[in-house]
Amino acid sequence: MQVKPIEWRDTMIRVLDQTRLPSEVIFLDVADYVEMAAAIREMRIRGAPAIGVAAAYGLALGAQAIEARTKEEFLVKLGTVSRELASTRPTAVNLFWALERMNRAAGEGTAISEIKAALVEEAKRIERENEEADRQIGRLGAELIEYGFTILTHCNAGALATAGYGTALGVIKAAHEQGKQVRVIACETRPLLQGARLTAWELIEEQIPLTLITDSMAGHFMSRGKIDCVIVGADRIARNGDVVNKIGTYSVAVLARENSVPFYVAAPTSTIDLSVKSGAEIPIEERSPEEVTWIRGTRIAPEGVKVANPAFDVTPHRYISAIITEKGVVREPYGEGLKGLF
Amino acid sequence: MQVKPIEWRDTMIRVLDQTRLPSEVIFLDVADYVEMAAAIREMRIRGAPAIGVAAAYGLALGAQAIEARTKEEFLVKLGTVSRELASTRPTAVNLFWALERMNRAAGEGTAISEIKAALVEEAKRIERENEEADRQIGRLGAELIEYGFTILTHCNAGALATAGYGTALGVIKAAHEQGKQVRVIACETRPLLQGARLTAWELIEEQIPLTLITDSMAGHFMSRGKIDCVIVGADRIARNGDVVNKIGTYSVAVLARENSVPFYVAAPTSTIDLSVKSGAEIPIEERSPEEVTWIRGTRIAPEGVKVANPAFDVTPHRYISAIITEKGVVREPYGEGLKGLF
């Protein structure tokens, strides 16, 4: 199976609607950048690297529709498109990274038609590089996986999240392809159940043995010696190695250290934000209370209950055994190691 | 509000069906002990102290229906009833403790009619003592709560779980009644959502300020300094102070210690099992995979996915700041302290 969460089709972008998985495999035909912004905001496409690709294609699509007489006028209008896409989600840095790259590419062209074509090419290049980075992360990460390992993962950092091969799941897939007989324990990942819905779906498609658990069970299985290592993705990595990732990641990291289980983060270098000193500086998206009080159309809590719903948390670098990037595996001291990648 | 999860009505037992809360408040009229066993197994009534009371009433009800000519014949038939009730759930010790007390009471009587009456009285006494123990736990526990505390709790250890005032929530209610302006953060408690459904419902009824979170958020809020202490109930406490409680409790305890947040367990002495040396000896109930793959009638994971569903975990005593019982607050060394209660 080649899961394709996003596909450029010249006049539109085909997006696999991840909010409908696993019960329905439905594709959306995204016709303009406003629809793409909505698809990102509503998490029809999600995962830090994938929303980078989605934003790049969204900008390319938006660019095609711009009518302008001068390059300056074109760039002003492109700025509006870019700001709309940038406003969708605050935490994953790949979104801003991809838009910045696209805007730089736009600045380099001269004729408007040339810039429009260059933007499509740049978006395709981002997607391709993303896929190549995933493969390399898989190769490097698989070296950390021993034969017969049981690997715990949280959320979904698979092909669905990267528009490529996957980061955390890329490592697992690479180890699996090498015949290492790995098994996966997937946390369901409330509130939006990316583990139960997306990781389970991807691993069943890949025929990698999987056991689904609730998030509250991760510690129990670690304490019983059932987990050999943890691998997760990342939404943004600070200069000091602090990792912002899906809510619940911090808990898993603390439990891993308490039980002497290695805790790995797999992410492309586009996820690293050297401009932020530590995780404390990274904005944490607060999402709608209904994501907690409703599950797939069913209300589970009393009317009027107050809810908190931070979508991410910060895992301080001291809990992280290694960060696996396409340019190498970095360990403490992260400050030096991460800077050395660039 | 006086939440009454179970009520003796002479010819039947009225049970509040907790699987239907909070969307529906529905009572079951339990007509015989087989129905009571089913109600416990299906978690229509749940919570360690409450299932002790339910088993006691179930045995009393079963006893009324026994036809026997001799005390010996009566006790043989009562044994069948008792074994059926004991087979419902393996982890919480209060179930076995209550049945043992009931069987002892049965042994003491002479005439069958006298024994039948004594069993009803003993069950009522268990319920009454349970309520008194909760009140005393509340009083003693509230001394540990300071003005303005934000208290995290997992699962539901309230009136619904004890057929009384509540253990963990009893402490919170007592502090609230003393005007301590406490706030509660409740973990939703997957898979069966006792936090979202039952704790949220109970606290809204009691008008105690509450914020509902997913289980994966507990660590995040502790790391941000938002939680002053944790209080949970217990299903069984071993001689060394290890606590078996709802799955996820261990994770919360580890996260609490990592963030220097006191972690309290509130439970009546009937939850303490001096016959087991440590938590490792306590059987952990494995429940149906459907509790994980379905939420309130909606499937959330792909068909055919493998699932683990342990209903409880073990929190080693070293993570526990204090165990609050009706006979006193016990701290390390737990071995001595717990034995001293009896």
Side-chain angles (χ1 to χ4, degrees), chain B:
Chain B
M1 179 199 61
Q2 175 70 344
V3 179
K4 267 271 159 233
I6 185 162
E7 215 176 321
W8 174 260
R9 296 234 172 157
D10 295 321
T11 57
M12 54 94 171
I13 302 161
R14 182 149 287 182
V15 170
L16 174 59
D17 186 351
Q18 298 189 34
T19 66
R20 310 287 284 271
L21 287 173
S23 50
E24 296 168 302
V25 179
I26 288 177
F27 292 88
L28 305 172
D29 288 340
V30 170
D32 59 41
Y33 78 90
V34 177
E35 280 181 33
M36 182 53 90
I40 297 171
R41 205 173 270 124
E42 295 159 7
M43 296 178 68
R44 299 187 192 281
I45 184 153
R46 31 63 56 199
I51 66 178
V53 173
Y57 277 134
L59 195 75
L61 193 64
Q64 308 312 307
I66 291 175
E67 290 182 15
R69 274 156 310 170
T70 64
K71 180 180 170 183
E72 285 60 42
E73 194 191 340
F74 177 84
L75 290 181
V76 166
K77 290 184 173 175
L78 194 70
T80 306
V81 177
S82 186
R83 277 189 299 280
E84 172 68 13
L85 289 163
S87 73
T88 50
R89 302 198 63 198
T91 303
V93 77
N94 315 60
L95 177 71
F96 311 111
W97 169 88
L99 289 171
E100 207 180 295
R101 242 183 91 160
M102 292 291 287
N103 283 313
R104 213 163 39 232
E108 282 164 10
T110 319
I112 290 172
S113 62
E114 183 197 329
I115 298 176
K116 286 183 176 181
L119 284 171
V120 175
E121 285 317 303
E122 187 69 5
K124 286 183 177 171
R125 199 172 300 120
I126 287 173
E127 185 188 4
R128 205 164 51 238
E129 287 177 16
N130 200 46
E131 163 122 29
E132 284 162 10
D134 280 7
R135 294 274 171 190
Q136 188 59 12
I137 288 168
R139 267 188 291 273
L140 293 172
E143 291 173 21
L144 303 169
I145 307 302
E146 291 174 30
Y147 183 88
F149 258 24
T150 297
I151 304 164
L152 184 133
T153 190
H154 186 71
C155 198
N156 172 270
L160 290 169
T162 69
Y165 177 68
T167 51
L169 292 195
V171 172
I172 290 168
K173 288 178 194 176
H176 173 75
E177 287 161 14
Q178 292 168 8
K180 283 189 173 164
Q181 301 282 329
V182 294
R183 314 182 71 82
V184 175
I185 294 188
C187 294
E188 64 175 7
T189 319
R190 277 280 287 149
L192 292 181
L193 298 164
Q194 291 92 335
R197 297 190 301 105
L198 310 180
T199 295
W201 186 75
E202 250 189 89
L203 293 178
I204 287 172
E205 294 278 328
E206 299 280 349
Q207 299 186 286
I208 297 174
L210 153 93
T211 302
L212 176 65
I213 62 171
T214 65
D215 304 324
S216 56
M217 294 173 192
H220 171 72
F221 287 107
M222 286 196 233
S223 76
R224 303 246 150 161
K226 303 287 189 201
I227 291 166
D228 297 301
C229 75
V230 176
I231 312 181
V232 297
D235 288 84
R236 197 184 306 201
I237 300 174
R239 197 159 75 208
N240 69 345
D242 289 357
V243 166
V244 169
N245 190 46
K246 179 53 57 198
I247 189 74
T249 302
Y250 164 72
S251 297
V252 171
V254 169
L255 289 159
R257 202 184 59 174
E258 188 72 9
N259 290 287
S260 306
V261 173
F263 180 90
Y264 300 120
V265 173
T269 50
S270 55
T271 308
I272 300 166
D273 185 355
L274 293 180
S275 79
V276 296
K277 230 186 327 189
S278 78
E281 293 175 24
I282 298 172
I284 301 290
E285 179 181 9
E286 178 78 21
R287 293 185 60 88
S288 137
E290 283 74 28
E291 291 183 354
V292 173
T293 54
W294 292 77
I295 297 180
R296 322 258 334 122
T298 303
R299 189 167 182 97
I300 56 144
E303 296 286 342
V305 70
K306 197 183 147 200
V307 166
N309 187 18
F312 304 94
D313 60 24
V314 179
T315 299
H317 59 85
R318 67 178 181 279
Y319 296 104
I320 300 166
S321 310
I323 298 176
I324 306 157
T325 78
E326 78 279 14
K327 293 189 184 164
V329 175
V330 179
R331 296 179 186 265
E332 291 278 18
Y334 287 105
E336 278 173 43
L338 294 176
K339 215 156 68 178
L341 297 175
F342 291 90

